[in-house]
Amino acid sequence: MVISMDLRIKKTHKLLMESLIKLLEEKPINEIKLTEICNLAMVHKTTFYNHFKDKYDLLKYTILNIQKEMLSKLPTTNNIIDYYTELAKLYMQNIKNNKNLYQQVLINDIDNLCTNILIEMFIKDLEKNINNSQIPNFYSANFYVYGVFAVINEWFKRGMKESETEIILYLKKLINLNEIN
């Protein structure tokens, strides 16, 4: 994948990502054909392969962009509880704004490919921001990221009956039980 992008490359990536997201709203990634993505994006397969190895490479790129967008909205903080609270708020808002997409990603993603890509990216980001001398950063980051995502995913699967504020309160209580800073 090319790192420095001109306008044409950005446009191609945007079209492919938007097409993949639209198709993910209808069916899981393993049922999506590359030709469907290319046709919807109006991009030739050869052009697709100039940018991505396969649909999973595009999926990872798309999820990375969603994650970058969420992380760019996170306020800078040294407090791990504030970090998770803000991350949880952004994640829940993203779920609400893209309900059909998350229906496929969280509920119908049989092998959890999409969820795992997103979680792994947040773990890497958090490992850089944890300062805990008692527990290695990798274990702390995994514990908290998987915990926060599991609670929010369960909230989504159960129909989002509780308010976002209630879920944030639950998360704060759970995180306070195991505070790492």
Side-chain angles (χ1 to χ4, degrees):
M1 208 168 4
V2 178
I3 294 179
S4 86
M5 291 189 270
D6 69 24
L7 192 56
R8 290 172 300 161
I9 294 171
K10 286 180 182 179
K11 183 180 176 186
T12 300
H13 286 187
K14 186 176 188 285
L15 288 169
L16 289 168
M17 286 189 304
E18 288 172 351
S19 297
L20 178 62
I21 288 170
K22 184 169 176 34
L23 290 167
L24 280 170
E25 290 176 352
E26 300 166 8
K27 54 188 166 183
I29 186 73
N30 59 338
E31 292 180 15
I32 296 173
K33 306 271 186 277
L34 184 58
T35 52
E36 292 175 291
I37 298 168
C38 292
N39 289 343
L40 189 57
M42 293 187 285
V43 171
H44 195 276
K45 268 188 176 180
T46 306
T47 304
F48 177 92
Y49 284 119
N50 286 334
H51 299 275
F52 301 100
K53 292 184 297 188
D54 55 25
K55 66 182 178 181
Y56 296 102
D57 191 30
L58 172 61
L59 175 66
K60 187 171 184 175
Y61 181 82
T62 303
I63 292 173
L64 176 63
N65 274 282
I66 291 169
Q67 187 243 8
K68 279 182 185 175
E69 185 180 320
M70 279 197 271
L71 288 177
S72 73
K73 294 176 184 176
L74 276 175
T76 305
T77 179
N78 291 329
N79 184 309
I80 201 71
I81 294 171
D82 291 343
Y83 178 88
Y84 277 111
T85 301
E86 291 304 315
L87 175 60
K89 286 178 187 175
L90 288 170
Y91 186 47
M92 287 189 289
Q93 192 60 49
N94 201 302
I95 287 173
K96 280 184 146 183
N97 292 341
N98 301 288
K99 196 172 182 177
N100 291 338
L101 171 64
Y102 281 95
Q103 180 73 26
Q104 291 299 332
V105 171
L106 298 178
I107 296 176
N108 299 331
D109 184 21
I110 297 166
D111 57 3
N112 294 317
L113 177 69
C114 301
T115 307
N116 289 340
I117 291 170
L118 189 61
I119 286 173
E120 289 303 316
M121 288 183 223
F122 280 111
I123 287 172
K124 286 178 184 171
D125 177 66
L126 186 60
E127 282 178 356
K128 294 182 261 179
N129 297 312
I130 294 177
N131 295 315
N132 184 353
S133 59
Q134 296 177 345
I135 302 170
N137 289 355
F138 177 77
Y139 293 117
S140 297
N142 271 274
F143 178 80
Y144 285 97
V145 170
Y146 274 99
V148 168
F149 274 77
V151 168
I152 294 171
N153 292 352
E154 194 59 35
W155 167 75
F156 178 74
K157 289 175 185 178
R158 292 176 177 261
M160 301 184 290
K161 293 175 185 158
E162 298 90 348
S163 70
E164 292 174 48
T165 305
E166 285 177 281
I167 297 300
I168 295 297
L169 181 63
Y170 298 155
L171 287 170
K172 281 184 176 181
K173 287 179 181 180
L174 289 167
I175 292 169
N176 279 328
L177 290 174
N178 301 294
E179 192 172 344
I180 57 179
N181 273 342

